[in-house]
Amino acid sequence: MSDNPSSARSSARLIRGLTLIPATALIVTNVIGTGVFVKARVMTCNVGSPWLVLLAYLFAGILTLGGALTFAELSAMMPRSGGQYNFIGAAFGRVWAFLYGWTETLLDGAASMAAVAFVFIIFLNDLLGGTLSPAKVQILTIGTIAAVTLLCLASVHTNGVLAAVVTALKVLLVAGIGVTAFLFNDGSWSHFSASGAASACEDVPTSARFGVTGFGAAMIGALWGYNGWADVSFIAEEVREPGRTLPRALIGGSVLIIVLYLFINAGYFYALTPTAVADVPENSSVASVVMMRMLGATGASLLTIGMMLSTFGALHSLNLSVSRIPFAMARDGLLPQAFAKVSPRARVPNYAVLLLGACAVGFVFSGTFDVLTDVIVFMLLLFNGMAVASVYVLRRKLPDAVRPYKVWGYPVVPALFLAATAYLLINTFLATPRRALASLGIVALGLPLYLYYARRLPPSRPEDWLDQ
């Protein structure tokens, strides 16, 4: 590691190769993974009513949009790699920025990549009739991570085009399932007035069913479906005209996802009763049940291929975006300088990309990534809350900073986001306290590493985080 982070910064230059469409595509393809296909079951168990499931998705979408509006201001003001890492660092100091980067890289990055790659191979195994042995599943999971990692070593323009193509196919997939549920079915609007409260609800704890706690748990499920909406800010340094492009991508992408999620979930409940939705086996998905009922085995196979595409797109965008966090940390002297190097031809942070892929492979070998991903949402709520709160701090600390976009509805919109985030954090502690405490424990594990790397660095100032 260099003792002079600014020297690493000056030698590490990226190219602004992403325009509006690929930037928006990165948001959509990262967000639409598997959650929208599977979460309706557990959310119905949480609240019992189709209308409350839709309301949870709507509220979670509004919360996401509120965050997107705020992040639009912050990312346009600080269009450098790292996203929330920069917002939190400028507002609350380097230690909190490091702890965010540490947990985001390991949990929302590497552990999520391992989990998504595993799901991708499980879908492949389903398509092949379950013929893959556990050893082959593990090998193919590692191979998938390696292939996507190598793909992310190509130029950001090439990866942006790929993201745009995958996103278009994903939108067609989600919309197609919704249309199928409404048109090729003997469903009924009466399903929306029924209840799934009497369902067995496999592996859904009673503490997370019904009432305020149940609705909060359903919101957590919906937020998992929206997870990844902010990741385009990680790659802000590679976006053209970031002051215009980033706000449009964040807001437009969030609105599109909200509409798609409400449409497909309404389709589920039109096709199936809430009891049938809640009784879907844990190892299956509501989307597969709907497609099987509508189109038989052919529909199930088509859905499996579509979900493979969806998980591949999420895996690709995860590595592409999250790898910019260790790059930014290394450039600021908080990780070895090698991770701040940019490849001379493709102009991407190749060692940071490889680091994330290697960590993901490590989680596959450990077999613990499923446990770790259970605590991701709590960690994201905590740090997303800090990132949104930074808009208040930076309006005061950096009043003269250039802000190409200012959050609509300030100061009310960020305040509503923070109020909802506080409610969900408290609710998570009440509904699943062990997961919440485990999340805080993982965050704290980064402190010794921070103390090691920060020991030679000068104190940071808010304005330092504006530089590229």
Side-chain angles (χ1 to χ4, degrees):
M1 185 194 76
S2 171
D3 291 339
N4 184 7
S6 63
S7 65
R9 177 176 298 163
S10 63
S11 63
R13 293 298 178 186
L14 303 170
I15 291 178
R16 295 196 178 276
L18 291 177
T19 55
L20 177 61
I21 290 177
T24 305
L26 279 173
I27 297 173
V28 177
T29 194
N30 196 23
V31 170
I32 301 177
T34 58
V36 69
F37 304 116
V38 302
K39 282 296 184 182
R41 179 196 78 89
V42 68
M43 291 172 66
T44 303
C45 291
N46 293 142
V47 296
S49 164
W51 287 113
L52 289 177
V53 172
L54 293 176
L55 191 64
Y57 265 111
L58 178 61
F59 280 6
I62 292 172
L63 181 63
T64 297
L65 184 58
L69 288 167
T70 308
F71 275 33
E73 172 176 328
L74 295 167
S75 59
M77 183 176 71
M78 290 180 275
R80 64 188 300 256
S81 295
Q84 291 101 302
Y85 164 76
N86 302 303
F87 313 157
I88 292 170
F92 302 107
R94 184 188 285 138
V95 61
W96 286 107
F98 181 91
L99 292 177
Y100 166 77
W102 151 265
T103 51
E104 176 70 25
T105 301
L106 280 182
L107 290 185
D108 199 29
S112 286
M113 280 184 64
V116 172
F118 178 74
V119 171
F120 176 81
I121 298 303
I122 291 301
F123 287 146
L124 175 63
N125 194 28
D126 290 343
L127 200 63
L128 298 176
T131 58
L132 297 177
S133 66
K136 289 181 179 178
V137 168
Q138 185 180 59
I139 291 171
L140 288 173
T141 300
I142 293 169
T144 301
I145 293 171
V148 170
T149 300
L150 292 175
L151 182 61
C152 289
L153 294 176
S155 70
V156 71
H157 173 75
T158 299
N159 279 288
V161 171
L162 175 61
V165 173
V166 172
T167 297
L169 295 173
K170 278 192 177 190
V171 171
L172 289 174
L173 170 67
V174 175
I177 295 172
V179 169
T180 300
F182 279 113
L183 296 184
F184 301 95
N185 180 45
D186 57 352
S188 172
W189 291 108
S190 64
H191 296 168
F192 287 84
S193 60
S195 173
S199 302
C201 291
E202 180 183 356
D203 289 336
V204 179
T206 56
S207 61
R209 297 193 66 185
F210 314 124
V212 175
T213 304
F215 187 77
M219 281 277 291
I220 292 293
L223 285 170
W224 174 250
Y226 286 107
N227 181 31
W229 60 269
D231 286 7
V232 73
S233 66
F234 300 161
I235 204 167
E237 199 167 323
E238 293 157 90
V239 173
R240 294 182 191 172
E241 298 183 54
R244 297 180 59 204
T245 302
L246 287 170
R248 292 179 180 182
L250 281 161
I251 297 167
S254 299
V255 170
L256 175 60
I257 294 163
I258 293 169
V259 172
L260 288 172
Y261 279 10
L262 291 175
F263 179 63
I264 191 175
N265 279 276
Y268 293 156
F269 289 112
Y270 181 81
L272 303 172
T273 66
T275 298
V277 171
D279 285 340
V280 169
E282 187 180 12
N283 60 355
S284 184
S285 70
V286 179
S288 65
V289 172
V290 170
M291 293 295 284
M292 176 68 78
R293 181 172 173 178
M294 301 304 103
L295 302 176
T298 301
S301 296
L302 289 173
L303 178 66
T304 300
I305 294 172
M307 293 177 76
M308 287 180 67
L309 173 69
S310 183
T311 52
F312 179 84
L315 183 62
H316 169 250
S317 61
L318 262 173
N319 191 305
L320 188 65
S321 57
V322 178
S323 60
R324 273 52 180 179
I325 293 179
F327 164 75
M329 294 171 70
R331 189 170 60 176
D332 292 340
L334 293 173
L335 284 179
Q337 185 181 340
F339 298 124
K341 291 183 178 179
V342 171
S343 59
R345 294 185 62 184
R347 303 295 290 274
V348 297
N350 51 342
Y351 290 110
V353 170
L354 293 171
L355 170 68
L356 194 63
C359 290
V361 168
F363 281 121
V364 174
F365 280 118
S366 73
T368 61
F369 53 83
D370 278 330
V371 177
L372 290 173
T373 53
D374 283 344
V375 303
I376 287 177
V377 171
F378 184 86
M379 180 272 292
L380 289 175
L381 284 170
L382 176 65
F383 284 113
N384 281 346
M386 290 186 69
V388 169
S390 68
V391 75
Y392 295 108
V393 179
L394 295 178
R395 287 272 187 113
R396 178 176 55 84
K397 287 186 175 181
L398 300 173
D400 299 324
V402 177
R403 291 174 170 84
Y405 171 87
K406 290 188 176 182
V407 57
W408 177 86
Y410 181 90
V412 176
V413 167
L416 292 175
F417 182 97
L418 293 174
T421 299
Y423 158 70
L424 291 171
L425 286 169
I426 294 170
N427 188 80
T428 303
F429 257 117
L430 296 176
T432 53
R434 291 184 179 179
R435 293 179 185 178
L437 291 172
S439 182
L440 293 176
I442 292 172
V443 171
L445 286 175
L447 280 172
L449 194 62
Y450 168 77
L451 293 174
Y452 174 78
Y453 280 109
R455 70 191 191 282
R456 299 179 184 176
L457 299 178
S460 66
R461 303 169 301 167
E463 53 269 29
D464 294 338
W465 300 86
L466 300 177
D467 298 330
Q468 296 176 14

